[in-house]
Amino acid sequence: NAGVMQNPRHLVRRRGQEARLRCSPMKGHSHVYWYRQLPEEGLKFMVYLQKENIIDESGMPKERFSAEFPKEGPSILRIQQVVRGDSAAYFCASSPREGTEAFFGQGTRLTVV
Amino acid sequence: RKEVEQDPGPFNVPEGATVAFNCTYSNSASQSFFWYRQDCRKEPKLLMSVYSSGNEDGRFTAQLNRASQYISLLIRDSKLSDSATYLCVPEKGSQGNLIFGKGTKLSVKP
């Protein structure tokens, strides 16, 4: 049973470009969480999704950021018109249902140059 | 009150020591709790789940005090490999998502 898969592991974008981060949850998991982590900082919650539904996006900036978890395929975190401040590690976690432990992917490290 | 509060540390302890971390949480509706460890620049990894009053796994013991809304993690006979940041996670935040504290940094020295 493969773990949570995130790709790419490293992503470099120029200011103004778009970044797409993918997360394939563990088999049988229908809940996905996205977090952002700056160096020497804690994990900051961004968004919580179930298949085809956004449950809670209270941690996600209102502009430029969006997330989806379609019926088929991975969850996508999309950042439009990236700025230097978007440089961070983005982690995805999945769980089989609400209230249970979540398992993390290895993260995508985004660098905006 | 913050959703999750932890002493950031660092806790610097010698090998073989016993060390305990506390974590307070604000949402009394949380039924389950999790401890994760995170190594530098790596993803968090699940260490222990707590669904009742506590849990024990080898050198690690977690205890839950619902009345005071805190959970603790005890590590006995510390190893060098225990050096990491330990993250406390109640199942429910204000909106039902997994909210992480900033973690407690542990450094075990030879």
Side-chain angles (χ1 to χ4, degrees):
Chain A
N1 188 6
V4 178
M5 303 299 290
Q6 287 189 252
N7 67 81
R9 293 286 306 280
H10 299 274
L11 182 61
V12 179
R13 283 287 177 267
R14 295 186 185 280
R15 279 179 293 171
Q17 291 185 317
E18 179 180 284
R20 277 187 182 234
L21 287 61
R22 294 175 190 77
C23 170
S24 296
M26 288 178 71
K27 188 177 180 181
H29 287 195
S30 58
H31 295 238
V32 166
Y33 305 81
W34 283 95
Y35 297 86
R36 178 165 67 177
Q37 189 171 37
L38 295 168
E40 306 302 320
E41 297 282 326
L43 284 158
K44 183 175 180 300
F45 167 78
M46 298 183 74
V47 62
Y48 166 37
L49 310 104
Q50 292 180 35
K51 281 283 186 183
E52 299 184 274
N53 287 309
I54 295 175
I55 305 303
D56 177 8
E57 57 183 345
S58 60
M60 201 153 67
K62 295 281 188 287
E63 297 178 356
R64 302 190 298 109
F65 286 73
S66 62
E68 63 176 6
F69 188 14
K71 187 177 179 182
E72 301 290 339
S75 175
I76 306 285
L77 180 68
R78 183 181 177 208
I79 311 172
Q80 294 178 294
Q81 298 174 334
V82 296
V83 300
R84 288 238 169 96
D86 296 332
S87 296
Y90 291 83
F91 290 101
C92 158
S94 74
S95 68
R97 54 191 173 280
E98 188 178 352
T100 58
E101 49 272 275
F103 297 90
F104 281 80
Q106 292 181 300
T108 294
R109 277 160 182 80
L110 172 66
T111 302
V112 180
V113 298
Chain B
R1 188 179 195 178
K2 287 185 180 177
E3 297 238 35
V4 180
E5 287 198 79
Q6 292 183 253
D7 182 342
F11 283 57
N12 297 308
V13 303
E15 267 187 295
T18 295
V19 61
F21 310 133
N22 283 335
C23 166
T24 58
Y25 60 94
S26 62
N27 191 337
S28 59
S30 288
Q31 293 298 308
S32 48
F33 303 84
F34 311 103
W35 281 99
Y36 286 79
R37 66 170 282 168
Q38 186 176 28
D39 294 278
C40 188
R41 297 181 63 78
K42 298 282 184 69
E43 75 275 22
K45 293 191 173 169
L46 181 69
L47 181 66
M48 188 171 288
S49 304
V50 184
Y51 293 105
S52 57
S53 60
N55 194 4
E56 184 172 333
D57 184 4
R59 298 183 294 110
F60 299 85
T61 301
Q63 288 193 311
L64 169 62
N65 184 320
R66 291 188 190 275
S68 302
Q69 291 184 219
Y70 80 80
I71 57 175
S72 62
L73 178 69
L74 182 78
I75 305 175
R76 288 180 295 276
D77 189 22
S78 299
K79 312 289 184 194
L80 295 176
S81 57
D82 293 335
S83 297
T85 297
Y86 289 83
L87 303 161
C88 158
V89 189
E91 154 224 353
K92 284 197 183 301
S94 56
Q95 287 102 7
N97 44 290
L98 294 175
I99 297 291
F100 281 72
K102 290 191 175 180
T104 298
K105 190 169 184 179
L106 172 66
S107 182
V108 181
K109 306 290 187 185

